[in-house]
Amino acid sequence: MRQLTLFLHSSLDGYAEGPNGAMDIGFIAYNEELEQFANKVLSTADTVLWGRQTYEMMYGYWPEMMNNPEASEHAQNHANWIHNVQKVICSTTLQSADWHNSTLLKGDIITKINELKQQDGEDIVILGSPRLAHYLMAPQLIDSIKLTVSPFVVGSVLPVFKNFSQSLKLMSSETFSTGALGLHYDIINKA
């Protein structure tokens, strides 16, 4: 059975976005260390799970980076990885998902994600998409959580956790030179 991993960036006070909404991720203490942490998280996944808003944001940015001579080598490599990986988008309003290797899920996404987890393949990662993650927390579909926690207090915006009450086991932790943390938890008391 494939694992469903949630991978999010968080502020120190537990928020997934800044005060200006989903596009406000300036609080992330992003550097080469976080790039390496993200590469490690994504190295075990062959499928990305997104909500509509994250899909549209990613689709509006990453295809431009693939051959952009001004993009860093890491950005170009990540853009190519995202282009080639299987992308599954959960949306009630999106009419099509036109990006290469994209599939649109509508209707009973809980059943469809359970079916996806039963298929052969590597891990599935919710890359961003905190609202989708909240929706999947209540039925306990998420198997592990990988977070970067940046030393920045955002205030009351969109929390990382919602509808979530489960025990976690810390599997690994890393401290970065920026003061950020990289954390990996497995969920241990799934029903």
Side-chain angles (χ1 to χ4, degrees), residues 1-5 117 122-125 141 143-144 186:
M1 184 164 145
R2 301 165 80 183
Q3 295 288 300
L4 178 58
T5 297
K117 288 177 68 174
E122 295 183 36
D123 293 341
I124 304 162
V125 64
L141 287 181
D143 301 298
S144 68
D186 278 351

Side-chain angles (χ1 to χ4, degrees), residues 31-189:
N31 66 1
E32 290 178 5
E33 294 167 306
L34 257 66
E35 287 176 356
Q36 291 170 2
F37 183 82
N39 287 344
K40 189 167 40 173
V41 170
L42 300 177
S43 71
T44 63
D46 65 3
T47 304
V48 170
L49 189 60
W50 281 324
R52 178 198 52 83
Q53 193 171 22
T54 304
Y55 168 76
E56 288 176 340
M57 180 177 65
M58 297 292 197
Y59 191 31
Y61 180 78
W62 286 109
E64 302 287 325
M65 293 295 110
M66 287 178 57
N67 298 309
N68 183 337
E70 295 179 20
S72 70
E73 181 180 352
H74 175 267
Q76 288 180 353
N77 290 339
H78 187 66
N80 281 299
W81 181 85
I82 287 179
H83 177 75
N84 290 312
V85 74
Q86 181 64 41
K87 293 167 281 295
V88 178
I89 300 89
C90 302
S91 175
T92 58
T93 59
L94 199 61
Q95 297 304 308
S96 66
D98 300 322
W99 200 352
H100 178 70
N101 285 341
S102 293
T103 303
L104 183 59
L105 288 188
K106 291 180 165 278
D108 182 4
I109 67 166
I110 301 300
T111 298
K112 291 176 180 176
I113 291 172
N114 269 320
E115 290 170 357
L116 187 64
K117 288 177 68 174
Q118 300 301 319
Q119 295 174 2
D120 290 335
E122 295 183 36
D123 293 341
I124 304 162
V125 64
I126 304 167
L127 183 57
S129 293
R131 289 164 185 82
L132 174 62
H134 292 163
Y135 183 75
L136 300 178
M137 285 177 184
Q140 300 183 355
L141 287 181
I142 299 170
D143 301 298
S144 68
I145 298 168
K146 297 180 181 180
L147 295 173
T148 65
V149 180
S150 291
F152 189 89
V153 175
V154 171
S156 182
V157 192
L158 180 71
V160 170
F161 297 103
K162 186 176 179 182
N163 305 318
F164 185 82
S165 178
Q166 294 176 261
S167 295
L168 305 175
K169 179 179 180 184
L170 181 64
M171 303 304 291
S172 65
S173 65
E174 297 179 46
T175 304
F176 305 120
S177 61
T178 59
L181 302 173
L183 305 171
H184 170 190
Y185 290 97
D186 278 351
I187 299 172
I188 59 174
N189 72 336

